[in-house]
Amino acid sequence: MASFLCPLASGSLGNALLVASGRTRVLVDIGLTQRRLKEALAAVGVEPGEIDAVFVTHTHRDHFSTSSAGFCLRHTIPVYASGENLAHLSDTLPAFRKLVRGGLARPMDGEAVEIGSVAVEGFDVPHDSPGWCQGFRVSLGPSRRRRSVAVATDLGHVPDDVLAWFVDATAVVIESNHDSEMLWASNRSADLIERIAGPEGHLSNEAAAEALAEIVGRSRRGRVKHVVLAHLSRDCNTPALALEAQAHLARGKAEPVRVFAARQFEPGPKIGL
Ligand SMILES: [Zn+2]
Ligand SMILES: [Zn+2]
C-alpha cells in the first residue's frame, strides 16, 4: 500500500495520525508516550526513523507533550505548527526549547509546507487551546491525480470556511466527540459540560453528521471515499453511536462513503488512498 492513512490513537488520552505517500511519512499530532507511539507505528510497519515531519494541530497535551518533544529530538524529526503554537509550546515545555535550539521547530503560517511527496496546509478551527488551533489538509501524489486528507480533531463547531477545506478531500478525519444526551446525563460538572458542548469545545455526533452531510453534498460525486470519526469520548460516546449518527452517508450518493471510528488504544484501520 503506497499511500495510506492510519489513526494510531484518538481521544483525550492521546492522538496521532499517520499519513504515508510513497516513501514520505508524516504524523499529525503525537500526544502519546514514546513507547506507545513506537508500538503503534510498529503495528503498521513503520519505524520512528522513517517519519519525515510532525504537524501539531494545537497545544493541548493529548496532541503534543514533553514525551512528544523527546520523540522528535531522539529521531531528529522537524515539528511544524503555527507561530503562536510554537511559542506556547516553547514557553510551557522545557524539552520543546531543545527542539527550537536544534532548528527542529518550524513555523507554518500561510504557505503550504512541502515534504517529499506531500504538501500540508493549515487552517484555523474554533477550539479553546492556548495559541491557535489548526486543522490540516495533506495533499498527496502528482498534481494530476492529487488526493488529499483533511483533518480537524478538536473543534467546537464547523464554520463555513472550515467546511470548505474538507470539500473534495479523499479522506475526511473529523471529530465526533460525544453523544449529547450522554454528555448532559454524565456526572461531569456543569461548567465542564458547557465547555465541551460550547462553540470552542468539542463536536457532537449530531454536529459531525451535519458537517459531513454538507461536505459530501458539496463535493463532486464519489470524491469523498473515507471518513474517520475521531476523538470519541470514552464516557459520553460509543463507536456504535458515533457510526450510527453517520448512517445517512451510506444512503446519499451513488458511491457510498466508508466510515470508521478511530479508537483510543487500537491503531487502525490502515486506509489505502
Ligand atoms: Zn484533544
Ligand atoms: Zn484540544
Side-chain angles (χ1 to χ4, degrees):
M1 208 183 274
S3 299
F4 64 91
L5 117 98
C6 183
L8 300 178
S10 188
S12 59
L13 295 181
N15 294 273
L17 176 78
L18 172 67
V19 180
S21 171
R23 302 172 83 86
T24 306
R25 271 127 189 70
V26 300
L27 289 167
V28 174
D29 294 332
I30 48 168
L32 305 175
T33 63
Q34 293 196 49
R35 190 174 147 197
R36 269 189 70 203
L37 187 54
K38 234 180 125 184
E39 283 171 1
L41 284 168
V44 285
V46 174
E47 293 286 328
E50 292 178 73
I51 302 298
D52 296 295
V54 169
F55 291 83
V56 184
T57 58
H58 66 295
T59 55
H60 284 153
R61 294 294 180 253
D62 53 324
H63 298 260
F64 199 94
S65 63
T66 295
S67 301
S68 319
F71 179 83
C72 293
L73 271 173
R74 174 177 288 189
H75 302 289
T76 328
I77 302 169
V79 177
Y80 291 85
S82 70
E84 276 98 339
N85 287 346
L86 292 181
H88 182 83
L89 291 169
S90 189
D91 288 348
T92 54
L93 297 176
F96 196 82
R97 294 200 271 281
K98 292 186 192 164
L99 283 173
V100 175
R101 286 198 292 276
L104 291 171
R106 314 224 172 131
M108 53 183 305
D109 286 310
E111 295 290 294
V113 176
E114 309 251 355
I115 309 270
S117 62
V118 308
V120 184
E121 296 164 277
F123 54 91
D124 302 336
V125 302
H127 184 57
D128 56 6
S129 55
W132 195 336
C133 188
Q134 290 198 300
F136 295 116
R137 183 157 171 139
V138 185
S139 301
L140 303 78
S143 54
R144 286 185 58 208
R145 287 188 52 245
R146 193 140 261 206
R147 288 142 292 143
S148 60
V149 178
V151 186
T153 65
D154 294 41
L155 72 172
H157 67 286
V158 191
D160 222 51
D161 57 336
V162 170
L163 271 182
W165 283 95
F166 285 92
V167 170
D168 286 335
T170 318
V172 167
V173 181
I174 194 163
E175 175 164 51
S176 191
N177 180 259
H178 55 271
D179 172 84
S180 295
E181 274 179 35
M182 285 177 80
L183 177 66
W184 288 98
S186 70
N187 54 15
R188 296 174 175 198
S189 72
D191 281 357
L192 180 57
I193 291 175
E194 274 166 26
R195 192 220 128 209
I196 292 168
E200 301 213 323
H202 291 276
L203 214 59
S204 68
N205 294 343
E206 304 78 42
E210 265 175 47
L212 284 163
E214 282 291 321
I215 291 163
V216 174
R218 292 189 201 182
S219 298
R220 277 176 277 167
R221 184 178 283 259
R223 194 66 184 259
V224 177
K225 296 189 186 321
H226 313 283
V227 167
V228 177
L229 304 173
H231 218 285
L232 270 65
S233 164
R234 279 165 310 125
D235 307 328
C236 301
N237 207 356
T238 66
L241 279 172
L243 290 167
E244 195 184 298
Q246 311 306 332
H248 61 101
L249 292 174
R251 295 192 291 268
K253 295 235 166 174
E255 289 180 63
V257 182
R258 297 171 70 205
V259 188
F260 308 91
R263 310 296 171 115
Q264 181 70 81
F265 297 111
E266 284 167 52
K270 194 171 171 179
I271 300 168
L273 295 169

